[in-house]
Amino acid sequence: MPGESCLDVAATVRADGFAFVEAALAEPLLLRCGGLSDWQTFSESWNDLGQDHYLAAVGRHRRRRHAIFHLGAGGFELQPHGPHYQHIQYNPLQGSIQRWFEPMEARVCGSESMLTILAFAAKTFGELAPATREWKIEAHQFRIEAAPGRVGEPTTSPRF
């Protein structure tokens, strides 16, 4: 379990390859990087996601939106909408194709909560790669839907 700072989370990722941060610790960690005053509106944005039409399995049980950010000396900048791409070696089910998901809404991308999450990620991963000065960041909102008689299938590729 990571400790109480981005450095602790980075150390856990370095040692274990991932970090699971429980909700009780996540909020204080995020608040060290910014504010969450619009969290309710931010979280409600998950109620308006488009269907993921690229699932290899039959049926439509995952919804998603996608955004690309650049982090450089000038801070975070939302980039023009573009595809999500993963090589087939990384994602054997939906790899090696450009997947065009509906864009994340501008109000979500520019929200205080989103910028706080990005700042937390920048500090954490910046600790792991201190020589990296510019980052391409892909953000995904997705919801996996389950129903009686239909198992919700999780995303197949690793996520932070």
Side-chain angles (χ1 to χ4, degrees), residues 63-106:
R63 298 184 175 279
R64 186 186 299 230
R65 286 186 183 267
H66 174 252
I68 303 168
F69 294 87
H70 174 264
L71 173 59
F76 295 102
E77 295 177 17
L78 180 62
Q79 300 297 290
H81 186 56
H84 174 57
Y85 180 85
Q86 296 171 303
H87 193 277
I88 198 160
Q89 290 176 328
Y90 183 77
N91 184 339
L93 293 178
Q94 287 101 19
S96 293
I97 59 171
Q98 290 186 357
R99 293 187 286 163
W100 288 86
F101 302 112
E102 288 188 31
M104 287 175 62
E105 296 176 329

Side-chain angles (χ1 to χ4, degrees), residues 1 11-13 23 25 35 37 39-40 44 48 53 55 72 90 101 103 110 113 136 150 153 157:
M1 166 82 94
T12 301
V13 172
L25 183 57
S37 66
W39 186 262
Q40 183 67 35
E44 287 172 0
D48 186 26
H53 296 286
L55 294 173
Y90 183 77
F101 302 112
S113 292
K136 175 186 176 185
R150 186 182 77 213
E153 296 179 22
S157 52

Side-chain angles (χ1 to χ4, degrees), residues 11 14 98 114 117:
R14 185 178 287 118
Q98 290 186 357
M114 184 65 181
I117 292 166

